[in-house]
Amino acid sequence: MCGLGEMAAWLPLGSGFTGYAVRFCDPALGFAIGYTYWFKYIIVTPNQLTATAMVISFWVDVERINPGVWITIFLVVIVFINYFGVRFFGEFEFWLSSFKVIVIVALILLCFILMLGGGPDHDRKGFRYWNNPGAFNTYIDDGAPGRFYAFWSTMVSATFAYLGTELVGVTVGEAQNPRKTIPRAIKLTFYRILFFYVLSVLLLGTLVPYNSPELSSATNSSNSNSAAASPFVVAIKLASIPVLPHILNACILIFVFSAANSDLYIATRTIYGLSREGKAPAFLSWTDNRGVPVYSLGVCSLIACIAYMNVSSDSQTVFGYFVDLVTIFGLLTWISLLVTHIFFVRARKAQNVPESNLAFRAPFGTGGSYFALVFCIIIALTKSYDVFTHSPEWGSFDYKTFITAYLGIPLYLMLITGYKVFTGCKRVKPEEADLWTGKEEIDREEAEFLAVQAMREPTGGWFYEKFLSWLF
């Protein structure tokens, strides 16, 4: 994120990080990252549709109503919003995002109160479950090795949860005063992760033991209601709070719907952008008189129909396949961004651009990018290591999970190699990288914006900026 912020603050490009890869590293990498990002979002859309069916099964058993019914309803609605309600879309997402923040803050506060015994059962749990049954479950093996295997197996889910933080790189070309807003967004991401992710999971771990029967029934793939309940819902049920689990599950359903809506939008705009650059069929760049890329929307909507795999398979199994695919495509996007940042710094040094000219500098420079690059590669190669386990207890080689977990890697390499073969493009030399085209225009726009801002009277927004904006 910091590497992306450094490049975006220097030169905010409308083409986002695909443009940075083309300019600073290799056109083939730009081509590969563009399609990798599109693959991620055409898979995450049916992933969210699958999640809606799982969440609704909390109330309606899949034996009563087939999940395909809910998938159809939500798919039609999000396509309708993306086609007819572009202006409504932005306003809808703004208020819904604010609602999400309020709900998660309330959940964190609730978990803290329950942990201290403020629930109906008045059971002061504290960190009891960290001692019995323990903070970490075991997997494949017993003892410390088993706990480590369990920890590493969660890398798939954990990485999946963090994907999307790089979205700021898609918006840089449309942001006002990007030299200030982009670095600020990058920095605040760190604090939001600490608050929304780390703190909430820490408190959740004090309320739900890993051997809870409620948790087992929510995650057991043999159960028809598999994964119907969020761990937060389980925590509330264990605290014996009536009605609230249903309210929270309804909130989760709204959040999943919002995510599916946004993901289809990003997938549509990504393939539209690739078409505009001549890297996808030309008909995908056609728009109607309202500027909606209709054919791109149609193609992405058709691909989203793979969510109907739920009709003949268990929801949690299908969800797991989608998570694996999205995670590998997301990791490959991150790897590409890190490589691009390393090449950007090389180009900057080769062309004698001093660090003092940068609006934002990655705190750890290329050293941080190399470290993150190695770590992302290790996770990409080992995140689904358990498919290789062969024991009577864990079964034979899981070829389906293997395909979904690692399909992205050969596909990514084929995209790079194929583009280089067909176009004959060469890697960009540091001294020849284009660091300047468009920069003067952006500098001028920024100066004009700041001049206008300086002439305006203060509106009292300082309270929001100082105390609330980090949260929202």
Side-chain angles (χ1 to χ4, degrees):
M1 286 294 289
C2 290
L4 174 60
E6 185 175 305
M7 295 185 291
W10 171 260
L11 187 64
L13 290 178
S15 55
F17 32 75
T18 58
Y20 297 129
V22 171
R23 282 199 184 201
F24 308 143
C25 186
D26 193 316
L29 183 65
F31 177 80
I33 193 175
Y35 271 97
T36 299
Y37 207 62
W38 182 59
F39 292 152
K40 172 193 164 187
Y41 276 98
I42 59 171
I43 297 298
V44 80
T45 303
N47 173 269
Q48 304 293 6
L49 293 172
T50 299
T52 61
M54 291 161 60
V55 172
I56 290 175
S57 66
F58 180 74
W59 297 297
V60 183
D61 194 277
V62 294
E63 301 299 327
R64 285 179 54 200
I65 299 179
N66 192 288
V69 174
W70 310 120
I71 291 170
T72 302
I73 293 171
F74 281 95
L75 179 58
V76 169
V77 172
I78 64 172
V79 171
F80 184 88
I81 291 174
N82 272 266
Y83 180 71
F84 291 104
V86 176
R87 291 182 65 183
F88 166 74
F89 173 85
E91 192 73 12
F92 175 77
E93 286 300 317
F94 169 78
W95 289 108
L96 197 57
S97 296
S98 299
F99 177 61
K100 290 180 200 176
V101 171
I102 293 168
V103 169
I104 193 66
V105 170
L107 272 176
I108 290 172
L109 183 61
L110 175 64
C111 288
F112 185 65
I113 292 170
L114 294 178
M115 172 187 172
L116 296 179
D121 57 359
H122 301 295
D123 182 13
R124 188 182 178 93
K125 296 179 175 67
F127 289 90
R128 177 196 308 161
Y129 297 136
W130 284 29
N131 294 318
N132 182 26
F136 291 86
N137 199 355
T138 57
Y139 183 53
I140 298 178
D141 202 352
D142 297 322
R147 286 191 290 274
F148 176 76
Y149 295 149
F151 161 73
W152 201 259
S153 71
T154 64
M155 281 294 176
V156 182
S157 301
T159 306
F160 174 80
Y162 287 100
L163 295 175
T165 53
E166 76 290 334
L167 259 177
V168 67
V170 178
T171 65
V172 292
E174 300 173 52
Q176 286 186 324
N177 193 17
R179 300 277 161 71
K180 179 183 178 182
T181 55
I182 298 303
R184 189 166 182 273
I186 299 287
K187 292 174 185 176
L188 289 179
T189 299
F190 174 77
Y191 298 107
R192 289 175 180 139
I193 285 172
L194 277 181
F195 184 79
F196 290 117
Y197 284 59
V198 179
L199 181 60
S200 62
V201 172
L202 173 69
L203 292 171
L204 197 59
T206 66
L207 298 176
V208 184
Y210 66 70
N211 60 355
S212 165
E214 290 281 356
L215 189 65
S216 298
S217 67
T219 57
N220 186 357
S221 61
S222 64
N223 191 302
S224 62
N225 283 340
S226 61
S230 156
F232 285 105
V233 174
V234 172
I236 294 169
K237 289 175 70 176
L238 290 175
S240 304
I241 303 177
V243 183
L244 191 56
H246 295 275
I247 296 173
L248 179 57
N249 212 61
C251 291
I252 292 170
L253 182 62
I254 295 171
F255 299 162
V256 173
F257 166 73
S258 168
N261 193 30
S262 300
D263 293 336
L264 181 61
Y265 180 89
I266 297 166
T268 301
R269 267 55 182 182
T270 301
I271 193 63
Y272 166 76
L274 288 168
S275 178
R276 287 286 301 271
E277 295 171 1
K279 296 174 181 175
F283 77 93
L284 293 173
S285 60
W286 186 86
T287 60
D288 63 11
N289 55 7
R290 295 173 300 114
V292 178
V294 178
Y295 293 126
S296 292
L297 176 60
V299 168
C300 294
S301 301
L302 286 174
I303 295 174
C305 290
I306 60 176
Y308 286 110
M309 288 169 62
N310 272 316
V311 174
S312 59
S313 302
D314 179 81
S315 293
Q316 193 206 0
T317 303
V318 176
F319 185 81
Y321 292 153
F322 287 154
V323 166
D324 271 324
L325 280 168
V326 172
T327 301
I328 192 62
F329 287 131
L331 279 167
L332 291 169
T333 300
W334 286 358
I335 288 168
S336 302
L337 282 170
L338 290 163
V339 171
T340 303
H341 176 244
I342 292 167
F343 274 79
F344 169 73
V345 176
R346 286 182 184 176
R348 183 169 54 76
K349 291 179 178 178
Q351 298 181 33
N352 298 315
V353 177
E355 288 185 3
S356 58
N357 285 15
L358 297 174
F360 172 73
R361 181 180 175 273
F364 302 104
T366 52
S369 289
Y370 275 115
F371 173 80
L373 178 62
V374 170
F375 209 71
C376 282
I377 291 173
I378 290 172
I379 294 174
L381 294 175
T382 62
K383 65 181 182 62
S384 299
Y385 72 91
D386 47 354
V387 301
F388 301 103
T389 56
H390 301 271
S391 69
E393 183 181 356
W394 299 102
S396 58
F397 179 70
D398 186 354
Y399 70 91
K400 293 180 181 177
T401 302
F402 173 78
I403 291 171
T404 56
Y406 295 105
L407 173 67
I409 296 176
L411 188 58
Y412 176 75
L413 296 175
M414 286 167 60
L415 286 169
I416 293 176
T417 306
Y419 191 83
K420 291 185 84 68
V421 169
F422 280 101
T423 64
C425 65
K426 304 291 184 183
R427 192 183 73 182
V428 178
K429 296 179 180 178
E431 60 274 9
E432 296 176 0
D434 185 2
L435 298 175
W436 304 100
T437 301
K439 187 174 185 302
E440 185 178 343
E441 180 184 350
I442 292 165
D443 291 341
R444 185 170 62 252
E445 288 177 358
E446 182 185 31
E448 292 172 357
F449 174 81
L450 293 175
V452 172
Q453 289 291 100
M455 293 172 63
R456 290 180 177 174
E457 295 182 5
T459 59
W462 63 270
F463 180 81
Y464 176 82
E465 289 292 325
K466 294 290 183 184
F467 301 106
L468 292 177
S469 62
W470 73 271
L471 200 61
F472 286 90

